Amino acid sequence: MKKVLILATGGTISSKEGSEGMVPQTAPKELLGTLQELSCHYDISYRVILNLDSSNIQSEEWQLIAEEVYEALPHYDGIVITHGTDTMAYTASMLTFMIQNPEKPIVLTGSQIPISHPLSDARSNLATALAAIDHNVIGVSIAFNHKLMSGCRAVKVRTMGFDAFESVNSPDVGEIFADGVHLLSTRLRAEGLPCVLKPKVSNEVFLLKLIPGTNPQVLDSLYETGYKGLVVESFGAGGMHFLRRDLSGKLRELVEKGVSVVVSSQCLYEKSDLSLYEVGRRVLKTGAIQALDMTTEAAVTKLMWALGQTSDPEEVKKIFATNYAGEISF
Ligand code: ASP
């Protein structure tokens, strides 16, 4: 029987309707009842470490979760983290960078409907997360709607549907069928490297989604506010305007002042390529980093994590040129 630790952090899975809307509860009896049922298949321990809607989960909580997981990992076959769905993809990506070379499964899950509701997806999502541990799906994953996705590739794409997450630009890690778990892709793990915890991150990262006509001066205000890192969601394969409102010129000034700039695409699928068009090449010449096929969640968390490791923009570039867990394809 696999030994599993469930770390609860809140989210809809453990929420109940209150006078101010849905609020997470520490240990709803339906959740404890479900774990009790599942305990004929798994040796389950349950610990509440946070009790938050995931909109309130930020870098301090990521650090706490990473530390709890890292300390518990040697004593269990795998860890399940129950978490709100809204920012689950950010937490999963960040844990991928904070906990390097884990030798066991770390699986995040949650639900679209609270576990106390008869239509809830919580039980099957929990069972999927536990199946990932049964099948030793190493590394950080998200288990949702009978799918297992790499933590640094998952994106929340639906607010109401049960199929709330998609693995973007990378196949699912696994899927549950009537005949069991089908593992669809293999996980990267550098053999022989020890598992290490690197929980330092920077909060001085901003995500800017461009619109046609974005005023370049917005970049000055970001610099004056103290941001050290900026992810820009540009148009298509990686363009931004220079006519009348010269965004690429302003970006160059920012890079020259030591801000690490990552340029990604507003398109969800496929890679950005700044070398294709003039509107992209101008950006490339500023010294900005290309996000290529990374998700926005992965690009943002990688930049926050990179700036927690170093303040040298050249080192940040080297970090972005490293594929830690399949978050990028070169
Ligand atoms: N607002 C909730 C949360 O992210 C949504 C959910 O869990 O599905 O905590």
Side-chain angles (χ1 to χ4, degrees):
M1 209 184 246
K2 296 270 179 155
K3 203 174 160 202
V4 181
L5 174 64
I6 301 194
L7 295 173
T9 71
T12 294
I13 188 166
S14 61
S15 286
K16 288 239 160 94
E17 194 66 49
S19 55
E20 305 291 324
M22 263 202 267
V23 183
Q25 316 285 302
T26 41
K29 64 176 189 318
E30 296 83 357
L31 180 59
L32 299 180
T34 303
L35 297 182
Q36 181 66 37
E37 265 173 48
L38 291 164
S39 65
C40 56
H41 304 285
Y42 304 93
D43 172 2
I44 298 176
S45 308
Y46 174 73
R47 197 155 77 231
V48 180
I49 55 168
L50 291 166
N51 192 35
L52 295 172
D53 188 290
S54 74
S55 296
N56 268 320
I57 290 191
Q58 302 160 56
S59 60
E60 295 81 356
E61 285 75 25
W62 291 334
Q63 280 164 342
L64 173 83
I65 299 170
E67 279 156 14
E68 292 280 348
V69 169
Y70 181 77
E71 271 162 35
L73 216 46
H75 312 291
Y76 294 89
D77 294 308
I79 314 283
V80 172
I81 303 161
T82 57
H83 193 291
T85 61
D86 294 344
T87 66
M88 190 188 288
Y90 285 95
T91 301
S93 266
M94 188 52 105
L95 292 179
T96 302
F97 301 120
M98 285 182 166
I99 306 170
Q100 307 226 326
N101 297 305
E103 70 284 8
K104 292 180 184 167
I106 301 165
V107 194
L108 290 97
T109 195
S111 66
Q112 292 284 66
I113 303 185
I115 196 155
S116 52
H117 194 284
L119 292 175
S120 178
D121 48 336
R123 192 191 186 284
S124 82
N125 288 343
L126 275 170
T128 304
L130 291 165
I133 294 175
D134 243 352
H135 286 74
N136 201 27
V137 175
I138 285 169
V140 180
S141 317
I142 287 186
F144 221 88
N145 197 37
H146 299 105
K147 288 190 301 191
L148 294 169
M149 292 152 277
S150 181
C152 55
R153 286 291 189 175
V155 174
K156 186 173 182 187
V157 292
R158 284 183 189 84
T159 57
M160 301 294 162
F162 290 126
D163 202 4
F165 288 88
E166 256 177 45
S167 178
V168 171
N169 297 332
S170 176
D172 290 337
V173 176
E175 246 184 280
I176 316 287
F177 287 88
D179 61 350
V181 177
H182 293 207
L183 292 180
L184 306 173
S185 79
T186 43
R187 313 300 298 276
L188 275 180
R189 180 169 190 266
E191 282 304 319
L193 290 182
C195 178
V196 284
L197 176 68
K198 294 189 172 179
K200 267 187 85 181
V201 297
S202 166
N203 284 313
E204 287 147 352
V205 168
F206 195 87
L207 169 65
L208 176 68
K209 181 171 187 160
L210 299 183
I211 58 165
T214 295
N215 185 340
Q217 280 173 3
V218 77
L219 299 177
D220 289 329
S221 8
L222 293 177
Y223 181 73
E224 280 151 26
T225 312
Y227 285 106
K228 304 279 186 299
L230 172 66
V231 177
V232 184
E233 274 194 3
S234 60
F235 307 120
M240 52 184 84
H241 46 74
F242 58 84
L243 276 186
R244 292 185 296 281
R245 299 172 189 85
D246 184 5
L247 281 170
S248 27
K250 191 51 87 181
L251 220 54
R252 175 179 297 109
E253 286 174 31
L254 227 59
V255 172
E256 280 166 2
K257 287 174 183 162
V259 176
S260 293
V261 178
V262 178
V263 178
S264 66
S265 169
Q266 294 181 9
C267 301
L268 180 60
Y269 299 110
E270 302 170 356
K271 64 170 184 175
S272 55
D273 182 354
L274 297 174
S275 67
L276 272 182
Y277 297 94
E278 184 192 13
V279 286
R281 284 209 188 173
R282 281 177 180 248
V283 179
L284 206 50
K285 284 186 195 145
T286 65
I289 300 164
Q290 299 205 66
L292 301 175
D293 68 343
M294 294 178 84
T295 65
T296 293
E297 287 82 345
V300 165
T301 51
K302 195 170 184 176
L303 188 53
M304 292 176 85
W305 181 78
L307 288 167
Q309 315 308 303
T310 177
S311 52
D312 177 354
E314 287 310 310
E315 290 300 314
V316 171
K317 280 189 182 163
K318 282 189 198 152
I319 289 175
F320 268 81
T322 307
N323 185 8
Y324 288 92
E327 74 278 9
I328 191 164
S329 334
F330 292 109

